Amino acid sequence: MKNNSKKLLITGGAGFIGSAVIRHIINNTKHSVVNVDKLTYAGNLESLESIEDDARYAFEQVDICNAAEIKRVFNEHQPDIVMHLAAESHVDRSIDGPGEFIQTNIVGTYALLEEARDYWSNLDGDKKDNFKFHHVSTDEVYGDLEGTDDLFTEETSYAPSSPYSAAKASSDHLV
């Protein structure tokens, strides 16, 4: 019987959404997870205490902007899938200090993409054919809704209105 379990490298896994995704994967699948998180203001390892001792879970405190460390993580853990959730977030914080948002959301995504591409290019056969890079964005890239009846659709144009949403839109375009 073929083993269909995958190894997922999840960036931003100590954040609110990332930790929920990791708990779900560990508790409901046979997959394993490598959690890559810088542990800034938004990271909270307490949210992962219920699964931290699971043999299918590993934590790497790494900044996605650090290409050498990201390369090490790829080479050491050999993931099948990357799920990129790491980002500086919160519109108000981006207005007060946009530099962090540009660094993490744009430069960090670029560094992660470059290391993932390099890693993928050295894979063979099914491992190469089935490798996935999944980038998670935000609805903020589409701008502001006008009212409660206004909705974003698949045809909505990008219209970022803060440094946060502009940095996320940029990362989307890089991907």
Side-chain angles (χ1 to χ4, degrees):
M1 181 176 194
K2 188 175 180 181
N3 181 358
N4 290 327
S5 67
K6 302 283 185 192
K7 183 176 282 187
L8 288 81
L9 187 157
I10 298 179
T11 67
F16 179 74
I17 295 170
S19 63
V21 168
I22 290 173
R23 287 191 310 271
H24 176 80
I25 291 167
I26 296 298
N27 291 328
N28 297 289
T29 76
K30 295 184 185 312
H31 304 310
S32 59
V33 172
V34 178
N35 175 6
V36 174
D37 201 295
K38 184 179 174 182
L39 291 182
T40 62
Y41 69 94
N44 181 2
L45 288 178
E46 289 178 17
S47 59
L48 294 160
E49 284 179 347
S50 65
I51 56 94
E52 70 183 355
D53 294 327
D54 193 293
R56 294 175 298 124
Y57 173 75
F59 174 69
E60 294 276 359
Q61 185 171 351
V62 170
D63 182 344
I64 60 168
C65 295
N66 186 334
E69 277 295 287
I70 292 297
K71 180 183 285 299
R72 178 193 61 78
V73 169
F74 271 100
N75 291 333
E76 184 175 319
H77 293 282
Q78 301 284 305
D80 301 296
I81 298 167
V82 175
M83 186 179 292
H84 178 37
L85 290 97
E88 293 290 336
S89 60
H90 304 301
V91 170
D92 292 345
R93 286 186 64 252
S94 77
I95 294 167
D96 294 337
E100 288 179 65
F101 290 75
I102 292 165
Q103 189 65 29
T104 299
N105 299 354
I106 301 172
V107 177
T109 297
Y110 172 74
L112 187 63
L113 281 167
E114 284 297 294
E115 294 309 321
R117 184 172 53 97
D118 183 59
Y119 168 76
W120 172 82
S121 70
N122 290 301
L123 295 175
D124 294 317
D126 286 346
K127 185 117 170 139
K128 186 172 194 169
D129 292 342
N130 295 313
F131 182 81
K132 304 281 186 256
F133 188 105
H134 181 73
H135 171 74
V136 178
S137 188
T138 176
D139 65 336
E140 298 277 345
V141 300
Y142 299 110
D144 304 319
L145 293 173
E146 299 301 319
T148 57
D149 295 334
D150 197 17
L151 300 172
F152 297 128
T153 71
E154 288 79 8
E155 288 81 37
T156 302
S157 296
Y158 274 50
S161 58
S162 71
Y164 163 59
S165 57
K168 285 299 287 181
S170 179
S171 70
D172 292 353
H173 290 296
L174 289 173
V175 173

